[in-house]
Amino acid sequence: MSLNLQEKILQAASELFYSQGIRATGVDAIVKAASTTKMSLYKYFSSKDDLVIAFLRKRDEDFRVWFVDQVNGKADTPKAKLLAIFDVIGEWMAVPEFRGCAFINAAAEFPLEGNPVHQVSAEFYDHFRNYIADLAEQYGSKSPKNLALQLSLLIEGAIVSEQMKRHSGSAEQAKQAALVLIEGSLSDMPDTSLLTDNSEEEQ
Amino acid sequence: MSLNLQEKILQAASELFYSQGIRATGVDAIVKAASTTKMSLYKYFSSKDDLVIAFLRKRDEDFRVWFVDQVNGKADTPKAKLLAIFDVIGEWMAVPEFRGCAFINAAAEFPLEGNPVHQVSAEFYDHFRNYIADLAEQYGSKSPKNLALQLSLLIEGAIVSEQMKRHSGSAEQAKQAALVLIEGSLSDMPDTSLLTDNSEEEQ
DNA sequence: ATTAAAGTATACCGATCGGTATAGTTACAA
DNA sequence: TTGTAACTATACCGATCGGTATACTTTAAT
């Protein structure tokens, strides 16, 4: 509830970074939004880059905690959870403040792989995919990591699709596709040997 | 081959916009890369925004022409073309200059839907999806637009995934998922009634 | 009451931003 | 040869960028 100054600055910065973009947000705007001064900002964060990293790290943690909570609140079984992911994504997309994925956006604004901002963003999806892979394994997928990657492609695609054009039904379509992939990934499915593949053959 | 000054400026700007980001690229850098002066730049483009729009419009046209050519060179039947899309994407991702999708990146840098840059970026995926939907219809999909949207989600997801972490096999996984979705979308498939669904029921 | 820390206020720094004004070149057509 | 259009060179504009210096005020513990 009551935020100390450092948290207040970070929160103001986070909202601006996410809603306007990182490069588009100047420190003066952050300072004004947090009702403080540059001197205080630079007391807690050594540079704007520092603040950007802090924003992404906190967002990583907060978002994943919130997300797992949401999924667990909607479903009990691994399969149901895998599907519920798309409902949570769909609801998240529907809020008017939605501006896409902060990490995808950050990686787009800082395109070089070596950039720290880019790297922290990449870590988020590592974590996220591991979460999906765990569910896929509990579910009994014959190749949980492959299924997790495929589902995460649908999720990321749905997010950027919705970011480009709102309310185009990306989450619902992604869920329908996910259902097909999930059921097709069960170990004891009949005659799916030609549909899925655990190797990386060339066409 | 021989570019006039306007084209030269646009090309220099395009390379910088794509490789470094739009906001990160100043007009001075563009002018230097094109070996010209600001005066000439502002003779052909009324503002930087103007140049950004020109960049995206040209990229839209060029990329789609190139892409359709590549696909047609790899496959003949509609189904094979739908799958070849993922091979082309995979090869495109492999080039070292790859920095993700210029339109996704632009939409991330200019997050507001009303922004002209955002809108032009959104148009690209409209065109792209229409192309896929045409193929899906020729293929005989029971719901070409749904299949097209699902495949485009896989494609966009693969692109941003590869942008975040290179060489993680996104294109191959996307292709495998696509194969399942494509075959499951055929009108006359046996016992797929529980796998695919043309309505939008809630879980 | 004294002190130290936290925070504010404000002015400033050099650099860069997008964009323009003015003058000087080059090249080519009439 | 004169004019004209394309292009260059350079200096400049106000605004904003990220970041700092200095001085002042509040708060709370000793």
Side-chain angles (χ1 to χ4, degrees), chain A residues 202-203, chain B residues 66-67 70-71 74 84-98 166 171-172:
Chain A
E202 288 304 314
Q203 94 144 42
Chain B
W66 171 83
F67 195 82
Q70 291 285 310
V71 170
K74 284 182 186 294
I85 285 175
F86 292 87
D87 296 323
V88 176
I89 294 281
E91 290 169 17
W92 170 50
M93 285 175 172
V95 313
E97 303 82 19
F98 175 80
R166 302 296 296 272
E172 293 83 355

Side-chain angles (χ1 to χ4, degrees), chain B residues 75-84 135 138-139 179 182-183:
Chain B
D76 291 324
T77 70
K79 179 183 176 184
K81 286 182 183 176
L82 286 173
L83 288 169
L135 288 178
Q138 294 166 33
Y139 163 63
L179 180 58
I182 290 167
E183 296 193 332

Side-chain angles (χ1 to χ4, degrees), chain B residues 53-64:
Chain B
I53 296 292
F55 152 60
L56 292 172
R57 286 206 199 284
K58 180 157 169 48
R59 182 119 185 155
D60 180 344
E61 203 179 314
D62 291 355
F63 187 87
R64 273 175 28 245

Side-chain angles (χ1 to χ4, degrees), chain A residues 58-76:
Chain A
K58 180 155 170 47
R59 181 119 186 155
D60 180 344
E61 204 179 312
D62 290 356
F63 187 87
R64 273 176 25 246
V65 167
W66 171 84
F67 194 82
V68 173
D69 261 23
Q70 290 286 309
V71 170
N72 288 342
K74 283 183 186 295
D76 292 322

Side-chain angles (χ1 to χ4, degrees), chain A residues 36 39-40 43-44:
Chain A
T36 181
M39 289 312 299
S40 295
K43 183 180 181 184
Y44 293 111

Side-chain angles (χ1 to χ4, degrees), chain A residues 60 103 107 113 116-129, chain B residues 161 163-165:
Chain A
D60 180 344
F103 304 97
E113 258 196 312
V117 172
H118 193 106
Q119 288 176 341
V120 173
S121 299
E123 285 168 22
F124 168 81
Y125 271 101
D126 250 23
H127 302 151
F128 192 74
R129 270 206 267 268
Chain B
S161 173
Q163 182 181 10
M164 290 219 157
K165 192 173 177 192

